[in-house]
């Protein structure tokens, strides 16, 4: 197992290099002058602008700029500074905590609600309950996140408070602690809950038609044991794969949700950095997101051996 982990980490290096080089080239190839953008509407003094370009290596070839950046990340853990000399790691620190809290809240909701509804639909396949669950998932997939966010914010955040006087779901900010992430977490996870519900239903229904399930039933095992121990456990492998990949997707796709609920997370910061042409911040955020994807996929691969004893890593 240890050798497999080391091998996977070594294989992750070219993935990290390729992804960061690609985003580095895309970001720094955008039209416009970041130094001029730093001065806003004022025209910078040519001498000062030239000094700043030299300071931030903007006059160097693109590959040399990339080497300065990636060598700092790999050898010193230094993501550089933005064009106002603020360390990128300092900018990301508090922002990532907010987005991580939001993504983990969404992931827990996705796992609990998605797997639960999928299990319920699979056990009642073809009945009214199954049809109602599939219809509700279709609604979640069809309605844009922007619409879902504003509707739930109005109904659960504003109207419920007016009717009951209870501030159950805060509509903005993080001052209320964990409660502040419940509503945006559900909005962020909405489409994923629908996809996971359908995936769980399909995977479990297919597993329950397997020969070993019929054998377990013929041996006289209870329905709960057949489904829980033999059916659901084997159906979990594609679900774990989806959840592992979705963690990075939730963190990277939180821009709209964070904007609706005024959460100053990494998605909001990424949008502002692209708008203000702060290339070092954009590349730094994407680099961390790539690392999260890589680690999440590694954890998913290791969980395969836990769920299915036939899988072994040499």
């Amino acid at each position: 197992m240890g050798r497999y982990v080391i091998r996977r980490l070594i294989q992750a290096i070219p993935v990290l290099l390729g992804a960061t080089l690609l985003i580095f080239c895309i970001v720094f190839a955008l039209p416009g002058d970041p130094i001029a953008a730093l001065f806003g509407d004022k025209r910078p003094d040519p001498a000062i602008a030239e000094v700043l370009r030299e300071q931030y290596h903007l006059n160097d070839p693109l590959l040399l700029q990339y080497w300065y950046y990636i060598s700092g990340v790999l050898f010193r853990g230094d993501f550089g500074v933005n064009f106002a000399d603020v360390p990128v790691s300092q900018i990301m620190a508090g922002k990532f905590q907010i987005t991580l809290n939001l993504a983990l809240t969404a992931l827990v909701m996705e796992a609990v609600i998605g797997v639960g509804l999928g299990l319920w639909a699979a056990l009642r396949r073809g009945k009214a309950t199954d049809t109602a669950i599939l219809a509700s998932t279709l609604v979640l997939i069809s309605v844009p996140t922007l619409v879902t966010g504003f509707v739930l914010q109005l109904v659960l955040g504003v109207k419920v408070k007016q009717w009951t006087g209870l501030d159950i779901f805060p509509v903005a900010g993080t001052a209320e602690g964990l409660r502040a992430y419940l509503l945006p977490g559900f909005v962020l996870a909405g489409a994923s809950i629908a996809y996971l519900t359908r995936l769980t239903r399909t995977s479990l229904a297919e597993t329950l038609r397997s020969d070993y399930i019929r054998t377990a039933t013929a041996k006289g095992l209870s329905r709960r044991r057949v489904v829980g121990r033999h059916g659901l456990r084997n159906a979990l492998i594609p679900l774990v794969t989806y959840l592992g990949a979705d963690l990075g997707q939730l963190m990277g796709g939180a821009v709209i949700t964070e904007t609706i609920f005024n959460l100053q997370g990494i998605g909001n910061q990424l949008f502002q950095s692209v708008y203000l042409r702060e290339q070092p911040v954009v590349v730094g955020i994407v680099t961390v997101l790539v690392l999260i994807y890589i680690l999440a996929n590694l954890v998913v691969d290791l969980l395969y051996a836990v769920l299915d004893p036939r899988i072994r890593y040499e």
Side-chain angles (χ1 to χ4, degrees), residues 1 12 15 32 63 65-66 69 74 92 99 105 125 170 189 209-210 238 257 263 282 303 308:
M1 181 70 75
V15 176
L63 289 180
Q65 293 181 50
Y66 176 72
Y69 170 76
L74 294 179
M92 294 190 298
T99 301
T105 302
R125 190 171 185 181
R209 292 196 298 267
S210 302
T257 305
L263 300 176
V282 175
L303 284 176
D308 190 346

Coordinates of all heavy atoms in Angstrom, one line a residue, residues 1 12 15 32 63 65-66 69 74 92 99 105 125 170 189 209-210 238 257 263 282 303 308:
M1 N 0.8 -1.2 0.0 CA 0.0 0.0 0.0 C 0.9 1.3 0.0 O 0.6 2.2 -0.7 CB -0.9 0.0 1.2 CG -1.8 1.2 1.3 SD -3.1 1.2 0.0 CE -4.2 0.0 0.7
A12 N 1.6 12.1 -9.8 CA 0.8 13.4 -9.7 C 1.7 14.6 -10.1 O 1.1 15.6 -10.5 CB 0.3 13.6 -8.3
V15 N 1.1 15.7 -13.7 CA -0.3 16.3 -13.8 C -0.3 17.7 -13.2 O -0.9 18.6 -13.8 CB -1.3 15.4 -13.0 CG1 -2.6 16.0 -13.0 CG2 -1.3 14.0 -13.6
G32 N -4.3 43.0 -22.3 CA -4.2 44.0 -21.3 C -2.9 44.0 -20.5 O -2.2 43.1 -20.5
L63 N 7.9 31.1 -20.3 CA 8.4 29.9 -19.7 C 9.3 30.2 -18.5 O 9.3 29.4 -17.5 CB 9.1 29.0 -20.7 CG 8.2 28.3 -21.7 CD1 9.0 27.4 -22.7 CD2 7.1 27.5 -21.1
Q65 N 9.1 32.9 -16.6 CA 8.2 33.3 -15.6 C 7.5 32.1 -14.9 O 7.4 32.1 -13.6 CB 7.1 34.2 -16.2 CG 7.5 35.5 -16.7 CD 6.3 36.3 -17.2 OE1 5.3 36.5 -16.6 NE2 6.5 36.8 -18.5
Y66 N 7.2 31.1 -15.7 CA 6.6 29.9 -15.1 C 7.6 29.2 -14.2 O 7.2 28.7 -13.1 CB 6.1 29.0 -16.2 CG 5.6 27.7 -15.7 CD1 4.3 27.6 -15.0 CD2 6.3 26.5 -15.8 CE1 3.9 26.4 -14.5 CE2 5.8 25.3 -15.3 CZ 4.6 25.2 -14.7 OH 4.2 24.0 -14.2
Y69 N 7.8 30.7 -10.9 CA 6.6 30.4 -10.1 C 6.6 29.0 -9.5 O 6.5 28.8 -8.3 CB 5.3 30.7 -10.9 CG 4.1 30.2 -10.2 CD1 3.5 30.9 -9.1 CD2 3.5 29.0 -10.6 CE1 2.4 30.4 -8.5 CE2 2.4 28.5 -10.0 CZ 1.8 29.2 -8.9 OH 0.7 28.7 -8.3
L74 N 7.2 24.4 -5.5 CA 7.6 23.1 -5.2 C 8.7 23.0 -4.2 O 8.8 22.1 -3.4 CB 8.1 22.4 -6.5 CG 7.1 22.1 -7.6 CD1 7.7 21.5 -8.8 CD2 6.0 21.2 -7.1
M92 N -5.1 33.7 0.1 CA -5.9 32.5 0.0 C -6.3 31.9 1.4 O -7.3 31.2 1.5 CB -5.1 31.4 -0.8 CG -4.9 31.8 -2.2 SD -4.3 30.4 -3.2 CE -2.7 30.1 -2.3
T99 N -14.5 28.5 1.8 CA -15.0 27.6 0.7 C -14.9 26.2 1.1 O -15.8 25.4 0.7 CB -14.1 27.9 -0.6 OG1 -14.2 29.3 -0.9 CG2 -14.5 27.0 -1.7
T105 N -19.8 21.0 3.7 CA -21.2 21.0 4.0 C -22.1 20.4 2.9 O -23.0 19.6 3.1 CB -21.7 22.4 4.4 OG1 -21.0 22.9 5.5 CG2 -23.2 22.4 4.8
R125 N -38.5 0.5 -6.9 CA -38.4 0.8 -8.3 C -39.7 0.5 -9.0 O -40.3 -0.6 -8.9 CB -37.3 -0.1 -8.9 CG -36.9 0.3 -10.4 CD -35.7 -0.4 -10.8 NE -35.3 0.1 -12.1 CZ -34.3 -0.4 -12.8 NH1 -33.5 -1.4 -12.2 NH2 -34.0 0.0 -14.0
P170 N -29.7 31.7 7.9 CA -29.1 33.0 7.6 C -29.0 33.2 6.1 O -28.7 32.2 5.4 CB -27.8 33.0 8.3 CG -27.9 32.0 9.4 CD -28.8 30.9 8.8
A189 N -25.0 22.0 -3.6 CA -25.0 20.6 -3.8 C -26.2 20.1 -4.6 O -26.4 18.9 -4.9 CB -25.0 19.9 -2.5
R209 N -29.8 -7.3 -8.7 CA -30.2 -8.3 -9.7 C -29.0 -9.3 -9.9 O -29.2 -10.2 -10.7 CB -30.5 -7.7 -11.0 CG -31.8 -6.9 -11.0 CD -32.3 -6.6 -12.5 NE -31.3 -5.8 -13.2 CZ -31.3 -4.5 -13.3 NH1 -32.3 -3.8 -12.7 NH2 -30.4 -3.8 -14.0
S210 N -27.9 -9.2 -9.1 CA -26.8 -10.1 -9.3 C -27.1 -11.5 -8.7 O -27.9 -11.6 -7.8 CB -25.6 -9.5 -8.6 OG -25.3 -8.2 -9.1
P238 N -18.9 3.1 -7.4 CA -19.1 4.3 -8.3 C -19.6 5.5 -7.6 O -19.3 6.6 -8.0 CB -20.2 3.8 -9.3 CG -20.9 2.6 -8.6 CD -19.8 2.0 -7.8
T257 N -22.7 30.6 -5.9 CA -23.3 30.4 -4.6 C -22.7 31.4 -3.6 O -23.4 32.0 -2.8 CB -23.0 29.0 -4.1 OG1 -23.5 28.0 -5.0 CG2 -23.7 28.7 -2.7
L263 N -20.6 35.2 0.6 CA -19.5 34.4 1.3 C -18.2 34.8 0.6 O -18.0 34.6 -0.6 CB -19.8 32.9 1.2 CG -21.1 32.4 1.8 CD1 -21.2 30.9 1.5 CD2 -21.1 32.7 3.3
V282 N -4.7 34.2 -9.4 CA -5.5 33.2 -10.1 C -4.7 31.9 -10.2 O -5.3 30.8 -10.0 CB -5.8 33.7 -11.5 CG1 -6.5 32.7 -12.4 CG2 -6.6 35.0 -11.4
L303 N -9.9 3.9 -0.9 CA -11.1 3.5 -0.4 C -11.7 2.3 -1.1 O -12.5 1.5 -0.6 CB -12.2 4.6 -0.4 CG -12.0 5.7 0.7 CD1 -13.1 6.8 0.5 CD2 -12.2 5.0 2.1
D308 N -14.1 -3.1 -1.4 CA -14.1 -4.4 -2.1 C -12.8 -5.1 -1.8 O -11.7 -4.7 -2.3 CB -14.2 -4.1 -3.6 CG -14.4 -5.4 -4.4 OD1 -14.2 -6.5 -3.8 OD2 -14.7 -5.4 -5.6

